[in-house]
Amino acid sequence: MNINICSRKEAETQIRNSFPLNTAVISFYDPPESGGDITDPVDYSDVCSRVFYVSVYDIDLSVLGDFGLTYEKYFPESPALAGFICRAFEDDMDILCQCEYGESRSSGCAAAIKEYFYHQGLDVFTDYRYYPNQLIYHKVYDALENYCFCNHISA
């Protein structure tokens, strides 16, 4: 399984040109109440049947309270995302992690997937192109550990 990271712009270009076959997508986008310019997810409906959309703030632990969140309440979709990832892994699909700029949420998710399945998550953290969101990383990694343990899936 290849795990790739991209921005909204790169994803939209791939959709127009040649979207990779046998790919599952994890698409992060800003919540509507975030006040950002773009809060709608990328539309993959014409090129991909396996897409997991996540509307989540790109924030870190120190400001969770400013958003009325706790670690437990932040990113409640992570257990369902772990199931999505494990099914893609079992089906030998590649995974595309996409967020607005392809630097933080998507790279945090990709690092967690790479670490869980291949013990290579550090590769993302040491790549100067990325600034992995550590909340996303830990929520995805923990969810993968819990999901795979409960479902007897080994990496």
Side-chain angles (χ1 to χ4, degrees), residues 8 11 42 51 65 95 112 133:
R8 169 185 287 271
V42 173
V51 182
I95 295 181
N133 180 305

Side-chain angles (χ1 to χ4, degrees), residues 18 39-40 42 49 59 122 127 130 151:
S18 60
T39 57
D40 293 327
V42 173
S49 62
I59 57 177
L122 188 59
D127 188 323
Y130 306 120
N151 292 285

Side-chain angles (χ1 to χ4, degrees), residues 59-60 71 104 108 125 131-140:
I59 57 177
D60 62 31
Y71 182 79
S104 183
F125 280 92
Y131 306 93
N133 180 305
Q134 292 202 20
L135 277 173
I136 297 290
Y137 172 84
H138 287 287
K139 294 292 278 199
V140 172

Side-chain angles (χ1 to χ4, degrees), residues 82-93:
F84 178 86
I85 293 165
C86 287
R87 286 186 295 280
F89 179 77
E90 290 170 336
D91 294 340
D92 197 34
M93 297 183 79

Side-chain angles (χ1 to χ4, degrees), residues 3 5 103 107-108 110-132 137:
I3 299 105
I5 302 165
E103 295 174 352
S107 65
I113 297 167
K114 286 183 175 210
E115 182 61 26
Y116 183 79
F117 288 103
Y118 306 111
H119 307 290
Q120 296 175 348
L122 188 59
D123 293 351
V124 178
F125 280 92
T126 59
D127 188 323
Y128 71 91
R129 297 173 295 172
Y130 306 120
Y131 306 93
Y137 172 84

